[in-house]
Amino acid sequence: MTKDAFQPFEPNIGIIGLGYVGLPLAVEFGKQLPTTGFDINEQRVAELQGGRDSTLEVSQQELASASKLDFTSDAAELGRCNVFIVTVPTPIDQHQRPDLRPLQQASRLIGSVIKPGAIAIFESTVYPGCTEEACIPIIEEVSGLQFNRDFYAGYSPERINPGDKQHSVSNIIKVTSGSTPEVADFIDALYRKIVTAGTHKASSIMVAEAAKVIENTQRDVNIALINELALIFDRLNLDTLEVLEAAGSKWNFLPFRPGLVGGHCIGVDPYYLTYKTLEIGYHPEVILAGRRINDNMGFFVAERIVKLMASRRINIVDARILIMGLTFKENCPDLRNTRVVDIVSELERYHAAVSVFDPWVDQQQALDQHDIQLIPEPQTDSYDAIVICVAHDQFKQMTAEQIRQFGKANHILFDAKHVLAKDDVDGRL
């Protein structure tokens, strides 16, 4: 393949995908450079044009501050752009295999509007090699242009943490890469316009892809170790948090906690890496073992709840159980891959009547995504069991006595997120 010299230009940016990753990025670029935010969801585009972000990642004031940012669902409007940044979801299917359809659709879209000299940058989490193996060929086919001669590519993995107001696009170090050294320099300089924390320029697109996918794989494995310890300590009648706090008195002990591992990153990204490793003939053991442990923690929590109820002679059949929190993490409305649903489904298998309360979640979204009808407010003196599943600020501001008011005279209170003190609950993870 002949690589022609890249000619730098004044960026006109198109962000494809306006979710938790794409919108904050579009806002930051839109403060300085002409930026078009594109999404196929017309309702999403309409709300952003009206100055509202339903994900609660960007405030109305922040949206207004991006004076050079426009939103559209019309692909033709991307034709004015010369830098395309892809921030679409990269989920897994029911068999834990990468679902590249959103990424492929975005690549076809770019191929239909890209012009010679332009750059396509991917931020979506993928396996090493995916950008050049799965995305670039689609752009070439649709556009008729040749990679690294007529157009170029880069990869700069997203590091957005939904609900985290301390770590934003601008103050998290950004990994960058490009398909030629000149393109890599251009992309790095582009991101340095908005990332005050600085950048780390990787030597290749594959290095940047691999760096991203192991960030969350490392966290997944670490949490899996602590979750397995929680399973062991439960059998030893030890309180896991007490043990971790004691061990944490050593300066280099890592402060991980047991819990449900969901969301669009930690619970998904390792499967992208294992997919690629199996393709090259290596069977990963530690990574998949960690995934199995973490994927089963919801069922362990449900089992603990049932045993606690039995110890109080509370019949699980037709018992009323209150689940507090449905999102995959605290203080955000994101329901993607939430493992709270495992607790709900397992308790329902015992024929319990489960009510779910989450003040952060849109009721229709919970119904559409998980077939769960949220309750507007818990009722007092009504529940045989109360389970704190997500550490929303609204729940952390409540005392144990206030939460127990939802329970019947004889009930159990289980805390899966260590919101309350040990002595204030009947059980905790």
Side-chain angles (χ1 to χ4, degrees), residues 368-387:
D368 292 343
Q369 292 188 21
H370 298 290
D371 197 27
I372 290 177
Q373 180 70 60
L374 297 178
I375 60 171
E377 291 288 340
Q379 300 173 341
T380 57
D381 304 320
S382 297
Y383 303 99
D384 299 287
I386 304 165
V387 187

Side-chain angles (χ1 to χ4, degrees), residues 8 76 122 136 160 169 255 272 281 327 329 344 355 403 408:
F122 293 84
I136 298 304
I160 295 295
V169 172
Y272 273 75
T327 61
K329 65 177 295 185
V344 173
S355 298
I403 294 175
K408 297 178 180 178

Side-chain angles (χ1 to χ4, degrees), residues 209-426:
E209 291 169 327
K212 169 57 183 176
V213 80
I214 70 165
E215 288 176 15
N216 290 320
T217 300
Q218 182 189 64
R219 283 183 54 78
D220 193 43
V221 170
N222 279 327
I223 297 170
L225 170 62
I226 303 303
N227 276 338
E228 186 165 46
L229 293 175
L231 300 177
I232 294 169
F233 295 148
D234 177 63
R235 288 161 172 78
L236 294 173
N237 292 318
L238 290 171
D239 183 83
T240 301
L241 187 59
E242 283 191 22
V243 176
L244 293 175
E245 287 174 340
S249 63
K250 187 166 186 272
W251 74 92
N252 61 353
F253 187 83
L254 300 177
F256 287 93
R257 293 289 183 264
L260 305 174
V261 182
H264 65 296
C265 289
I266 300 179
V268 173
D269 294 356
Y271 287 122
Y272 273 75
L273 182 57
T274 57
Y275 169 84
K276 187 63 176 180
T277 60
L278 290 168
E279 188 180 75
I280 61 175
Y282 179 78
H283 185 82
E285 298 187 32
V286 173
I287 298 171
L288 287 177
R291 281 280 73 237
R292 284 193 295 271
I293 292 169
N294 287 341
D295 275 348
N296 283 302
M297 286 306 291
F299 304 106
F300 169 71
V301 170
E303 181 184 344
R304 286 283 311 276
I305 294 165
V306 172
K307 287 181 177 179
L308 282 169
M309 292 175 67
S311 71
R312 293 285 185 86
R313 299 184 181 276
I314 302 172
N315 190 350
I316 183 65
V317 176
D318 295 328
R320 297 191 66 193
I321 299 178
L322 173 65
I323 300 292
M324 298 181 64
L326 181 61
T327 61
F328 88 89
K329 65 177 295 185
E330 65 277 2
N331 302 327
C332 81
D334 197 344
L335 292 175
R336 286 176 294 177
N337 197 36
T338 173
R339 301 275 42 102
V340 178
V341 297
D342 297 335
I343 300 175
V344 173
S345 63
E346 187 68 5
L347 292 173
E348 287 179 340
R349 286 183 63 234
Y350 284 95
H351 303 290
V354 182
S355 298
V356 181
F357 171 63
D358 194 317
W360 280 83
V361 176
D362 178 78
Q363 293 206 10
Q364 190 59 49
Q365 191 175 41
L367 198 59
D368 292 343
Q369 292 188 21
H370 298 290
D371 197 27
I372 290 177
Q373 180 70 60
L374 297 178
I375 60 171
E377 291 288 340
Q379 300 173 341
T380 57
D381 304 320
S382 297
Y383 303 99
D384 299 287
I386 304 165
V387 187
I388 304 172
C389 291
V390 186
H392 290 316
D393 284 346
Q394 291 94 326
F395 301 158
K396 293 169 72 174
Q397 291 164 3
M398 299 176 70
T399 65
E401 290 73 21
Q402 289 173 319
I403 294 175
R404 284 192 180 275
Q405 287 179 0
F406 301 135
K408 297 178 180 178
N410 182 27
H411 71 272
I412 64 106
L413 172 57
F414 186 89
D415 185 359
K417 292 295 293 184
H418 303 115
V419 170
L420 302 172
K422 175 188 174 184
D423 294 339
D424 289 332
V425 298
D426 302 300

